[in-house]
Amino acid sequence: TIKNDERGAPYAVLSDQAAKRFGVSSLCVSITHEKTHAAAVAILIKELSLKKTRKDKYLARKNQPLATHLENVARLARKFGAIFGAENIAYFIGLVHDLGKYTKAFQAYIIESIKDGDVRRGDIIHAFQGSRFILEKIQEPLIAEIIANIVAAHHGGLYDGVSNGKKPIYEKIEKYDSKLYYVEAKKAFENEILMRQDFAKLCVDEISKALNICKEKKLNGLFTLHLFTKALFSCLVDADRCDAARWNIENEIEQSSPNWTKRIEELENHLNCVKSEANINISRIRKMISDQCGEAGKRERGIYTLCVPTGGGKTLSSLRFALKHAQERGLDRIIYVIPYLSILDQTAKTIREALNCSKDDNFVLEHHSNIDIPENEEDENEYKLLTSRWDSPIILTTMVQFLETIYSNKASKLRKFHNMANSVVIFDEVQALPIKCVHLFNDAINFLHIFGKTTVLLCTATQPSLDKVCRPILLSKNSSLTSICAKDLKCFNRAIIIDKTKPEGWTIEELAQFTQSQLDFGKNTLVILNTKYEVKSLYNMCKCFKYEKAFLTTDLCPEHRSKTLDQTRENLNKERPVLCISTQLIEAGVDISFDCVIRAGAGLDSIVQAAGRCNRNGESATLQEVYVVNIKDERLSLLPEIEDGKRATKIVFCEKRSKNLLSDDALDLFYKYYFHRQKDKMDYNVAKSTKVYDLLNHNTLEVTAYEEQNQRKYQGLPCAFKSAADKFSVIDRGQTGIVVPYGGAMKLVERLKAEYNLKDKMNTLKKLQKYTISVYSYVLNKLEKAGAITMIDDTFYLLSSEYYDDKAGLLLEDKFSFMYVGD
């Protein structure tokens, strides 16, 4: 039978009826201008003959012939790789990835494993044979090394292209040469697997086409190829794991396209039932924003922005856009990427309510655990593959999880990368992106859009100028989803920024007195400071105040912070004024409103976000004050981005004196100065001469070392996948999680000690995440020396009850008498 694939290309396929008659799986072969239909059918008949004569003496695992496994993985990888324009490469790597299992040594190991019931992977090497086969077949070093690396690494992690003056792939093949039994494996493979097409040529064509797209779109070629390699690696790893787990993914994918129409109806019903705000104008403008986002869903795939003031209803508006766009463009999923867990929980709840989904419904999946799924295939089969594959229609994850997936080299993390394609990816509070990650973020987004056919939406009230940096994000024309006139925007003018900085700075005592004066005026007051030390110092000085008080830093575990916020919201509804003192964790996405906000000097983006907690719902008809103060002797050595933001804001305050500091003009001016000062940091510097971006691009130092050592020009893929992954972390490394004795934590700890089932242990560990705080190594050392922490189940530390307070959280200053900075 002659059919057409998703792109209209013809191929010949053995009919289901014929496949059933001959007892084989379905076969197909592509038809090109060089191959007539009759020739394609002849190849099918030849392969059918091979299938009928072979005796399946080679096994991939118990009850599965090796040839069947290779063909299953190849077909599934091709399905995944098609979206990237790399279906032939994906099919080829699927066919050869386990070529090394065609040896007597490996088959003896399989048979012994079946007899003993031992399903652990042995030390019989089976990945490098496929790599050697590829390096023989493809003469172009760059293309050969991309594909060889993918095959060699499919059970672990991608290798560096060049390291210590050598190419690790070639080194590994040479090192294990005597254990590869390559000639034997190659001969058996070629006897069983018919290479129906010139895959070497097809692979060269597909990668050449990708490089041409890079030139056309002005993308960095080598860096884009590194992402292209990871996408293909993801396709192979997922296809291999799925077939190993006996998942009939091909059929499931065909039948499991989300019912976006039903979810759109649920959202529309929800929006119709939402009560209007007391402020009629704000309700009207929120509806206008929502309607514009719904209409924008009809646009072509692209990279767009949604910049609306705080309280503009961007969560449901962005969801309305995403659902409509997914329906219009036939997209597979919607992915929300959110900087903070507190916002993620709130967003997930909002989306579930809007779409009438229960928490047990896998339509909406939250993925933000710090615990990785085990790479061991047998352990992995105990779980649903949702979080490892990102196969749910709507996924909510963190910026940490998103970036550390893409910039990992590990199979376990990269497995889900290909499922970011053909999606809508929404970045909420995108201004929270760390400055060191800007260029890595921008190029990843450009790749997902151009090669993965993904639509990206950047949401925030303070849109950063990511399209104006050295390696810009490629925004679509008319990138904003909404158009709001100046008159309507005035409805969101609920606060005014007042510069209260002093030449000598504010002492904590002076700040406490100023705070009390606001409370005495009857104003609920929020104070946001930059370091934990200053927050605690001010809180201790305000303890004697007769008003309700709250305290928020990351020294409180997530569950403790959530309870504190809930109690604060309850207190805000009472007659007496409320004081809340917090680090910047309260700024973005937290639905809470105060009459007055006092903000320590920081970037204007942070100050605007803080202003979003002032008169948030227009409770007062008059503008309420957001006072910006500078703290005397403030120590920001561990928070350089805040220090740099303060400098840029100071310039804006001087240039925009007596003007609206909440305007887009002021914010654009801030980003101009801020990004100019930060441009040398955006490639993720790890040492004086080492940047993660360069490691994944030209890898200059290692290429130079190779050329000097070998006395020849380097040819191949230089990208240092492993070295870059080892150095990359969204959150600075060196922090360790500690479970604290708050709320239900101790019951979970006792349950964990009594559990033996791995799945139950993992579930309990996930529940303990909300009772965990993170500390730097110097704090951990002090706690260890004081006997304040205990190792539980060789898995995590548990803090002694003496060192945790139900109001102040982690107790350090009182116990150790040292200044604890950080946010």
Side-chain angles (χ1 to χ4, degrees):
T1 305
I2 305 300
K3 294 186 177 181
N4 292 318
D5 64 17
E6 299 89 339
R7 298 185 301 172
Y11 65 96
V13 62
L14 188 69
S15 69
D16 291 341
Q17 183 181 0
K20 184 177 181 181
R21 177 181 173 188
F22 289 104
V24 298
S25 58
S26 180
L27 302 174
C28 64
V29 59
S30 298
I31 298 170
T32 67
H33 64 281
E34 300 168 348
K35 192 177 295 170
T36 65
H37 291 193
V41 172
I43 291 173
L44 281 179
I45 293 169
K46 184 178 179 181
E47 182 161 345
L48 176 61
S49 176
L50 280 173
K51 275 180 169 284
K52 291 305 294 176
T53 56
R54 75 184 184 206
K55 297 179 181 178
D56 289 331
K57 63 180 180 179
Y58 294 98
L59 295 176
R61 55 187 51 82
K62 184 178 179 179
N63 297 328
Q64 187 181 34
L66 179 52
T68 301
H69 173 61
L70 296 183
E71 289 161 354
N72 287 350
V73 172
R75 286 197 299 273
L76 191 51
R78 176 174 58 196
K79 183 182 286 290
F80 295 154
I83 191 74
F84 300 101
E87 59 204 61
N88 290 304
I89 302 175
Y91 190 87
F92 184 46
I93 60 180
L95 278 183
V96 304
H97 80 285
D98 275 352
L99 185 153
K101 290 183 178 180
Y102 279 105
T103 63
K104 292 176 183 176
F106 193 89
Q107 291 303 309
Y109 157 70
I110 287 286
I111 292 167
E112 287 303 312
S113 296
I114 293 170
K115 286 179 182 177
D116 299 341
D118 182 4
V119 292
R120 293 174 297 172
R121 187 180 301 132
D123 59 357
I124 306 297
I125 297 168
H126 71 274
F128 291 105
Q129 293 91 333
S131 294
R132 180 171 169 181
F133 182 80
I134 290 161
L135 293 170
E136 285 180 1
K137 292 286 184 184
I138 301 176
Q139 300 307 308
E140 291 81 351
L142 175 67
I143 297 169
E145 289 171 24
I146 287 173
I147 303 172
N149 196 349
I150 291 168
V151 170
H154 75 271
H155 278 298
L158 290 163
Y159 295 92
D160 288 350
V162 57
S163 179
N164 297 319
K166 298 178 181 178
K167 294 184 175 183
I169 293 293
Y170 293 86
E171 267 193 300
K172 294 283 186 183
I173 291 172
E174 185 178 341
K175 177 181 177 182
Y176 297 122
D177 182 61
S178 63
K179 296 181 179 181
L180 297 183
Y181 309 105
Y182 177 68
V183 174
E184 175 197 350
K186 179 183 176 183
K187 182 179 179 181
F189 170 78
E190 289 181 331
N191 283 339
E192 280 214 335
I193 302 295
L194 177 67
M195 303 296 280
R196 300 186 300 272
Q197 296 167 282
D198 184 355
F199 279 106
K201 180 180 183 304
L202 292 171
C203 291
V204 171
D205 289 347
E206 287 180 344
I207 290 180
S208 298
K209 184 178 179 181
L211 286 170
N212 287 335
I213 292 171
C214 290
K215 288 180 183 177
E216 178 189 337
K217 301 292 184 180
K218 298 181 180 179
L219 300 177
N220 190 319
L222 281 175
F223 192 91
T224 302
L225 275 189
H226 127 264
L227 291 168
F228 194 76
T229 303
K230 286 178 172 176
L232 286 167
F233 183 58
S234 170
C235 294
L236 173 62
V237 169
D238 195 27
D240 186 34
R241 303 299 191 267
C242 286
D243 186 65
R246 304 293 197 275
W247 274 44
N248 190 5
I249 291 296
E250 279 196 288
N251 291 335
E252 184 161 319
I253 287 175
E254 294 288 352
Q255 299 167 4
S256 63
S257 183
N259 187 346
W260 298 122
T261 302
K262 178 185 175 184
R263 302 301 171 172
I264 290 170
E265 290 173 358
E266 294 284 3
L267 177 59
E268 294 300 326
N269 290 337
H270 176 81
L271 292 173
N272 290 334
C273 295
V274 172
K275 293 181 180 178
S276 297
E277 294 291 324
N279 188 315
I280 296 174
N281 280 329
I282 288 180
S283 291
R284 176 180 60 81
I285 298 166
R286 278 182 177 171
K287 184 178 184 306
M288 181 185 73
I289 291 169
S290 176
D291 290 342
Q292 288 182 6
C293 286
E295 186 64 25
K298 298 176 183 177
R299 294 188 187 186
E300 295 296 324
R301 303 180 202 212
I303 303 177
Y304 299 110
T305 62
L306 177 58
C307 186
V308 296
T310 302
K314 70 178 184 305
T315 299
L316 292 182
S317 293
S318 63
L319 179 61
R320 198 174 183 188
F321 163 78
L323 288 171
K324 185 66 176 177
H325 191 66
Q327 179 193 50
E328 288 279 332
R329 301 296 160 206
L331 305 184
D332 295 327
R333 61 191 55 81
I334 296 167
I335 302 171
Y336 274 86
V337 183
I338 299 171
Y340 310 116
L341 288 176
S342 57
I343 309 175
L344 195 153
D345 292 337
Q346 181 178 301
T347 304
K349 183 180 178 183
T350 300
I351 290 173
R352 285 196 176 98
E353 287 177 355
L355 300 184
N356 197 23
C357 295
S358 70
K359 197 157 189 177
D360 297 328
D361 186 349
N362 287 330
F363 194 87
V364 179
L365 172 70
E366 295 177 61
H367 185 200
H368 49 82
S369 171
N370 293 327
I371 301 167
D372 290 326
I373 299 295
E375 183 64 17
N376 181 279
E377 289 179 6
E378 285 67 37
D379 287 343
E380 184 181 46
N381 288 341
E382 293 186 13
Y383 311 102
K384 289 185 176 181
L385 302 181
L386 293 173
T387 53
S388 58
R389 296 196 69 239
W390 277 13
D391 198 28
S392 294
I394 297 180
I395 295 155
L396 292 98
T397 192
T398 60
M399 181 67 85
V400 171
Q401 181 72 240
F402 175 82
L403 286 173
E404 291 190 358
T405 291
I406 296 175
Y407 290 104
S408 173
N409 72 317
K410 303 280 186 197
S412 56
K413 288 195 172 184
L414 281 168
R415 176 179 183 176
K416 55 184 171 288
F417 185 24
H418 74 91
N419 273 337
M420 294 181 190
N422 203 44
S423 302
V424 184
V425 183
I426 299 170
F427 292 91
D428 195 15
E429 305 295 355
V430 71
Q431 83 287 342
L433 176 72
I435 198 75
K436 64 184 180 182
C437 299
V438 166
H439 288 157
L440 296 172
F441 175 82
N442 286 356
D443 275 22
I445 296 309
N446 292 336
F447 174 82
L448 283 172
H449 170 55
I450 293 169
F451 286 92
K453 314 298 187 294
T454 285
T455 287
V456 176
L457 181 61
L458 309 176
C459 295
T460 177
T462 53
Q463 193 70 240
S465 307
L466 297 176
D467 58 325
K468 293 182 174 65
V469 297
C470 295
R471 308 186 199 279
I473 203 165
L474 302 178
L475 293 177
S476 299
K477 290 183 179 179
N478 302 318
S479 60
S480 178
L481 297 190
T482 60
S483 176
I484 311 171
C485 68
K487 181 181 177 182
D488 285 337
L489 278 174
K490 283 185 178 179
C491 294
F492 288 99
N493 290 351
R494 294 153 294 186
I496 182 172
I497 295 176
I498 298 174
D499 181 5
K500 291 281 285 186
T501 56
K502 301 192 293 189
E504 67 280 9
W506 290 68
T507 66
I508 295 298
E509 292 83 357
E510 290 171 336
L511 186 57
Q513 292 170 9
F514 181 62
T515 300
Q516 183 164 24
S517 70
Q518 298 303 308
L519 291 164
D520 290 344
F521 282 139
K523 291 192 171 188
N524 295 316
T525 302
L526 170 64
V527 183
I528 304 175
L529 303 176
N530 291 322
T531 71
K532 296 176 183 179
Y533 175 77
E534 286 154 357
V535 168
K536 286 192 175 182
S537 297
L538 181 61
Y539 182 77
N540 288 334
M541 198 158 286
C542 295
K543 273 184 177 178
C544 59
F545 291 2
K546 59 186 178 180
Y547 306 106
E548 295 285 355
K549 295 170 287 295
F551 166 96
L552 286 167
T553 75
T554 53
D555 278 349
L556 278 62
C557 67
E559 179 68 6
H560 194 169
R561 296 200 298 268
S562 178
K563 296 282 187 187
T564 301
L565 276 169
D566 287 344
Q567 184 61 56
T568 302
R569 290 188 184 100
E570 188 177 322
N571 289 336
L572 286 168
N573 292 324
K574 297 177 182 178
E575 293 183 3
R576 293 181 64 185
V578 175
L579 169 64
C580 180
I581 306 171
S582 175
T583 56
Q584 61 183 337
L585 65 84
I586 200 172
E587 279 178 356
V590 179
D591 189 4
I592 197 166
S593 181
F594 291 84
D595 303 321
C596 170
V597 171
I598 302 169
R599 181 57 167 99
L604 185 60
D605 56 337
S606 291
I607 294 168
V608 172
Q609 290 289 340
R613 306 323 112 189
C614 183
N615 197 25
R616 181 178 178 84
N617 301 310
E619 294 91 347
S620 172
T622 58
L623 297 179
Q624 298 298 294
E625 296 85 1
V626 176
Y627 297 105
V628 178
V629 299
N630 54 329
I631 307 301
K632 186 176 182 179
D633 299 326
E634 185 179 41
R635 300 191 179 189
L636 295 175
S637 58
L638 295 180
L639 302 168
E641 287 189 32
I642 294 179
E643 183 69 69
D644 290 330
K646 279 177 64 177
R647 293 194 190 100
T649 300
K650 187 175 181 179
I651 299 172
V652 174
F653 277 10
C654 289
E655 292 192 21
K656 291 284 184 179
R657 192 176 299 279
S658 75
K659 293 185 179 178
N660 181 10
L661 294 170
L662 287 168
S663 67
D664 289 343
D665 287 345
L667 202 59
D668 288 344
L669 188 62
F670 163 74
Y671 279 121
K672 175 185 173 182
Y673 291 125
Y674 179 59
F675 280 165
H676 178 74
R677 292 183 62 89
Q678 303 293 317
K679 62 183 178 181
D680 293 333
K681 298 179 182 179
M682 292 181 183
D683 278 352
Y684 198 120
N685 302 347
V686 290
K688 188 174 182 180
S689 57
T690 305
K691 300 179 178 183
V692 169
Y693 194 97
D694 182 65
L695 289 173
L696 295 170
N697 190 28
H698 293 100
N699 199 7
T700 310
L701 292 178
E702 289 293 350
V703 167
T704 301
Y706 175 91
E707 292 179 343
E708 289 176 353
Q709 184 171 314
N710 296 278
Q711 294 299 298
R712 65 173 180 266
K713 186 173 178 60
Y714 179 86
Q715 290 183 304
L717 182 70
C719 310
F721 293 94
K722 184 179 185 304
S723 296
D726 289 345
K727 291 174 172 58
F728 180 81
S729 178
V730 179
I731 299 173
D732 291 335
R733 287 174 179 166
Q735 293 196 69
T736 302
I738 298 175
V739 174
V740 300
Y742 177 82
M746 296 311 295
K747 286 184 180 179
L748 289 172
V749 170
E750 293 304 314
R751 183 196 298 177
L752 185 79
K753 290 178 181 178
E755 286 170 341
Y756 295 97
N757 181 277
L758 177 61
K759 184 177 179 180
D760 292 339
K761 279 183 175 288
M762 294 291 282
N763 287 335
T764 303
L765 282 168
K766 287 179 182 179
K767 290 176 182 176
L768 279 169
Q769 292 297 311
K770 62 182 180 180
Y771 299 106
T772 302
I773 61 171
S774 296
V775 299
Y776 286 101
S777 56
Y778 71 95
V779 176
L780 186 71
N781 291 336
K782 286 182 178 291
L783 293 171
E784 278 187 303
K785 288 178 182 178
I789 51 176
T790 306
M791 177 63 74
I792 302 295
D793 202 35
D794 292 326
T795 305
F796 62 87
Y797 288 106
L798 176 66
L799 185 70
S800 168
S801 59
E802 304 169 42
Y803 289 80
Y804 197 82
D805 181 77
D806 280 353
K807 292 267 185 205
L810 179 65
L811 300 175
L812 289 175
E813 289 84 352
D814 295 342
K815 297 287 184 180
F816 300 118
S817 300
F818 75 99
M819 183 178 288
Y820 185 34
V821 296
D823 61 350

